Amino acid sequence: MANTIQQQLIYHTQQAVKALYQSDIPENQLTIQETRKEFEGQLTIVVFPITRFSKKSPEATGAEIGAYLKEHVPELAAFNTIKGFLNLSLSDVYWTDLFKTHVIQESFGRFPSNGKKLMVEYSSPNTNKPLHLGHIRNNLLGYSVAEILKAYGYEVIKTNLVNDRGIHICKSMLAWQRWGNGETPESSGLKGDHLVGNYYVRFDKAYKQEIDMLKAQGLSEEEAKKQAPIIREAQAMLQRWEAGDEAVIALWKMMNGWVYAGFEQTYGRLGVDFDKYYYESDTYLLGKDIIQEGLDKGVFFRKVDNSVWIDLTADGLDEKLVLRGDGTSVYITQDLGTAQLKYDDFHMSESIYVVGNEQDYHFKVLFLILEKLGKPWATGLFHLSYGMVDLPSGKMKSREGTVVDADDLMDEMTETAKKRTEELGKTEGLSDTGKAHLYHIIGMGALKYFLLKVEPRKRLLFDPNESIDFQGHTGPFIQYTHARIKSVLAKGGYSQATPLAVPSVLASSERDLIQLLHNYPAVIEASAKEFSPAQLANYCYEVAKQYNKFYHEESILKAEEEARDFRLHLSSATARIIASGMRLVGIEVPERM
RNA sequence: GCGCCCAUAGCUCAGUUGGAUAGAGCAACGGUUUUCUAAACCGUCGGUCUUAGGUUCGAAUCCUAAUGGGCGUACCA
């Protein structure tokens, strides 16, 4: 539907080849692309593949095909051939029609429901420390992918699998017990997740000291790590937790409660949300029945020590343990069980895991096992793997304090937005809450765009010493363009009732803008199919850029009435698409800035 | 050792199913405001697309190998 003219042109080109050269050219050999800016026209047919049939030079062939098309395709106004490229100029009527019948319609950019359910699992934090920049990337990616897939027609369930148990949690608990003196978020004024994170760091410090002492006594590093009294105590605490010890459970609940309150705040500022939470404390025992199922089916095998394995060497992978000899779970046991649980809960046709690329191998194994177990839904599983966020100094390490804290970073971004806005003198007439809201929108816009414009699989470099830009290829640039349009619309007294006149001649910047806007649904589709918010983010930038060009080249409010009304509609459509596209990448756009 | 991912301008990144003279932003330099918001627009500068082969009328894009970087290869999660 979006490509009718392309399809028509391809069809008529095939007809032309038949008429002119008595040959049939398969459709897949014909490519049509947007004309490069420096040439005349909007669409281009690559003629090289046709020369096989014409037995003529590319230029002569292009001229002949062009002449044929000119006769048979009424929308075609002119053409020219340069080298092997047949550039086509479509009539202004074609473009204005397209604008009227598609771009400006309320339904433009909306896909009907496809009746399918899809799950996106993202965020999935540990409850022993606060979120950092790496988690922000995960959260923004997951949220945006979910929104894009919704727009594309899926019913989407956003889930968060919270890692709320295990030895790392016990470390924080133990440290708090020892050195906390009953400190609470209320007593200290600390955000709960930060408070708990402090004790995690505290534990690690003490642990390292003990390791050093033991090493000084002649133990090997490996032995020291196992023998250190504090780690043994944490392990004992974990065992008591698993046994349901009331005191331990109470402490665990209290501290996790603090963390959740902190996370809720951070999620709120980030603007992400979830439809369903899973907790590992509920799911960590799952999966053992699947192990039995696998044994029964002969997919798994038992070794003499009673441990259970799967042999994936035929698939180019290794032998993989799926259950320990003592019958306890490993990570993948739990994941097998959780995958089944999620499917039983929602019966979705696809399920996406937003998890960093250090777990590529794990997910390959997980999906392969489920496939071998004959789970029909296994083919719908997808690991959305993304690259790490690195600092100039290298990796972020929580325990070494080289992390960029999520809350701190958001504070800084908002503060910078405030400073910039005040410098530019754009705060006049705004209420205090209006200002605060604006600074938040802009600061988050800069941060989110910075993270989302990069393809997920690529690693991302963040330099804390170089502040994130607010000019150029950035979120605020796009937000500014939206605000600017809103201002023109207001001054022009635009409303939906403004008559839509259509000029007989379009300026080239208008034509380019219409063509670009018309691509919007195709961009949503591509982003959805490839799970890539980056494509949509980059598209929004192109739209904003093209609009600004148009804005500078053509006068809107001072144009003659017909052109003025048309340009108001064009501006309004642009604003709508910018707002809609940015919403799908999780970025709000302001009415003014 | 083996496996996966990445490599494009000084920096950060785009680059559609293989197509024209590889594009943006930042940085540097110059210009645009009595006119709709200058967080803007226009211009200049900047490239052996890591390297070497191969496939093709045509390769940043596909194949092979090498180099550099990252990750994984745990009875950790």
Side-chain angles (χ1 to χ4, degrees):
Chain A
M1 183 185 75
N3 297 323
T4 32
I5 192 72
Q6 274 93 336
Q7 284 164 356
Q8 273 181 55
L9 287 168
I10 290 206
Y11 170 77
H12 285 291
T13 303
Q14 286 177 305
Q15 293 302 308
V17 171
K18 196 174 281 182
L20 297 168
Y21 316 124
Q22 293 78 47
S23 308
D24 289 310
I25 183 162
E27 189 183 324
N28 61 18
Q29 283 189 27
L30 289 173
T31 51
I32 218 159
Q33 61 193 34
E34 289 186 10
T35 306
R36 295 178 70 111
K37 279 282 178 295
E38 59 266 41
F39 302 105
E40 185 71 33
Q42 297 91 46
L43 291 175
T44 294
I45 295 174
V46 183
V47 305
F48 293 107
I50 305 174
T51 57
R52 255 181 57 215
F53 303 102
S54 69
K55 311 251 167 37
K56 292 179 183 170
S57 74
E59 258 148 336
T61 308
E64 288 181 0
I65 300 281
Y68 180 96
L69 291 177
K70 181 90 170 51
E71 255 179 63
H72 291 81
V73 182
E75 290 88 349
L76 186 57
F79 70 91
N80 65 84
T81 339
I82 297 169
K83 295 188 183 170
F85 299 89
L86 173 57
N87 301 320
L88 308 173
S89 297
L90 300 174
S91 68
D92 286 343
V93 174
Y94 167 76
W95 292 110
T96 51
D97 274 357
L98 201 63
F99 181 68
K100 273 197 295 196
T101 56
H102 290 91
V103 176
I104 208 165
Q105 295 302 317
E106 197 58 42
S107 60
F108 185 70
R110 273 200 223 130
F111 289 75
S113 164
N114 64 11
K116 288 197 267 188
K117 259 193 229 177
L118 177 150
M119 178 177 283
V120 180
E121 179 197 297
Y122 70 102
S123 199
S124 304
N126 293 341
T127 58
N128 63 332
K129 51 181 186 262
L131 272 29
H132 61 64
L133 182 53
H135 297 115
I136 296 185
R137 187 178 199 192
N138 180 302
N139 279 277
L140 299 181
L141 262 178
Y143 177 83
S144 175
V145 162
E147 291 301 316
I148 290 168
L149 288 162
K150 266 193 218 172
Y152 188 49
Y154 283 92
E155 180 189 336
V156 174
I157 305 127
K158 300 177 194 163
T159 60
N160 190 351
L161 174 58
V162 183
N163 187 350
D164 62 342
R165 64 161 287 279
I167 189 70
H168 50 291
I169 315 289
C170 289
K171 290 178 180 177
S172 300
M173 286 160 60
L174 182 61
W176 183 85
Q177 230 174 20
R178 271 204 199 174
W179 299 295
N181 292 317
E183 187 184 30
T184 67
E186 291 74 33
S187 75
S188 63
L190 278 177
K191 205 160 155 280
D193 48 338
H194 288 265
L195 187 154
V196 172
N198 288 346
Y199 287 100
Y200 184 69
V201 172
R202 184 72 197 265
F203 175 97
D204 201 61
K205 221 174 96 188
Y207 183 30
K208 281 206 172 111
Q209 277 174 2
E210 289 186 3
I211 292 172
D212 286 344
M213 268 171 56
L214 290 172
K215 273 161 65 181
Q217 290 167 20
L219 267 71
S220 71
E221 168 113 21
E222 212 174 314
E223 273 304 300
K225 277 184 178 168
K226 280 187 196 159
Q227 300 290 331
I230 196 165
I231 193 73
R232 301 201 128 198
E233 207 175 319
Q235 278 157 354
M237 187 182 252
L238 181 59
Q239 280 171 8
R240 278 194 284 150
W241 181 90
E242 289 184 1
D245 181 295
E246 275 182 37
V248 173
I249 297 282
L251 175 61
W252 172 73
K253 280 191 176 159
M254 180 178 74
M255 290 181 73
N256 270 351
W258 296 343
V259 172
Y260 295 145
F263 283 174
E264 278 313 304
Q265 262 189 51
T266 306
Y267 286 150
R269 287 179 82 186
L270 275 173
V272 302
D273 55 26
F274 304 95
D275 303 304
K276 168 81 179 170
Y277 282 82
Y278 287 102
Y279 296 92
E280 284 199 19
S281 53
D282 295 327
T283 63
Y284 80 107
L285 293 174
L286 294 177
K288 293 190 185 176
D289 44 348
I290 293 192
I291 301 303
Q292 190 54 51
E293 183 185 336
L295 283 166
D296 293 344
K297 288 183 175 167
V299 175
F300 300 150
F301 65 91
R302 209 183 274 280
K303 287 196 176 176
V304 282
D305 68 352
N306 218 33
S307 57
V308 181
W309 296 72
I310 183 165
D311 183 358
L312 298 172
T313 49
D315 298 278
L317 305 175
D318 306 302
E319 275 193 1
K320 188 83 189 166
L321 176 94
V322 292
L323 193 70
R324 291 194 185 101
D326 63 6
T328 57
S329 298
V330 287
Y331 184 44
I332 204 152
T333 323
Q334 205 183 120
D335 267 7
L336 287 167
T338 308
Q340 182 72 57
L341 173 69
K342 286 160 135 191
Y343 180 74
D344 291 343
D345 282 350
F346 294 100
H347 288 89
M348 59 282 187
S349 55
E350 288 168 64
S351 188
I352 296 163
Y353 295 77
V354 183
V355 179
N357 63 7
E358 74 259 340
Q359 295 198 29
D360 284 357
Y361 184 76
H362 172 76
F363 281 102
K364 226 187 231 180
V365 170
L366 177 69
F367 297 165
L368 188 56
I369 292 178
L370 287 165
E371 221 171 281
K372 285 187 182 295
L373 287 170
K375 304 290 178 188
W377 41 268
T379 48
L381 301 174
F382 182 80
H383 174 206
L384 176 48
S385 163
Y386 62 90
M388 297 290 104
V389 181
D390 290 326
L391 304 173
S393 55
K395 248 187 120 163
M396 289 194 280
K397 297 232 169 79
S398 334
R399 279 177 285 193
E400 290 168 26
T402 58
V403 292
V404 177
D405 180 76
D407 295 311
D408 291 350
L409 182 58
M410 288 193 280
D411 287 343
E412 279 169 37
M413 294 307 297
T414 307
E415 190 51 39
T416 308
K418 179 181 177 190
K419 232 168 39 195
R420 298 274 313 164
T421 308
E422 283 172 350
E423 276 166 15
L424 293 168
K426 295 194 173 187
T427 58
E428 200 189 329
L430 278 174
S431 68
D432 282 352
T433 52
K435 282 186 208 167
H437 185 56
L438 181 62
Y439 304 151
H440 172 254
I441 289 181
I442 297 173
M444 293 305 294
L447 175 61
K448 290 182 175 186
Y449 198 88
F450 177 81
L451 294 172
L452 285 175
K453 75 172 180 185
V454 180
E455 280 297 325
R457 93 177 93 69
K458 305 241 182 142
R459 66 190 269 274
L460 199 57
L461 189 75
F462 176 81
D463 188 343
N465 299 319
E466 272 182 57
S467 52
I468 292 174
D469 277 324
F470 284 66
Q471 284 172 12
H473 190 180
T474 67
F477 168 83
I478 301 167
Q479 293 173 315
Y480 168 75
T481 306
H482 179 266
R484 182 185 235 185
I485 294 172
K486 285 295 177 165
S487 166
V488 186
L489 293 178
K491 285 202 173 141
Y494 172 81
S495 79
Q496 290 198 323
T498 301
L500 173 54
V502 162
S504 51
V505 179
L506 288 174
S508 68
S509 63
E510 291 175 313
R511 204 159 35 224
D512 291 347
L513 186 54
I514 292 171
Q515 189 175 15
L516 191 56
L517 293 178
H518 183 249
N519 286 344
Y520 182 50
V523 173
I524 292 181
E525 179 165 15
S527 304
K529 285 184 169 164
E530 288 165 50
F531 309 119
S532 170
Q535 293 192 23
L536 193 50
N538 285 307
Y539 171 78
C540 289
Y541 171 69
E542 279 173 38
V543 170
K545 205 169 143 58
Q546 183 58 43
Y547 181 85
N548 279 316
K549 190 185 172 74
F550 155 72
Y551 179 94
H552 276 271
E553 286 179 4
E554 310 298 333
S555 178
I556 298 166
L557 299 180
K558 290 199 172 154
E560 286 180 40
E561 192 174 339
E562 240 184 31
R564 176 191 139 105
D565 287 348
F566 173 73
R567 286 172 182 167
L568 285 172
H569 276 286
L570 183 57
S571 298
S572 164
T574 305
R576 250 203 359 259
I577 288 173
I578 287 178
S580 161
M582 290 291 268
R583 191 186 62 71
L584 296 185
V585 291
I587 300 177
E588 273 186 79
V589 290
E591 295 296 306
R592 56 168 283 193
M593 70 184 270

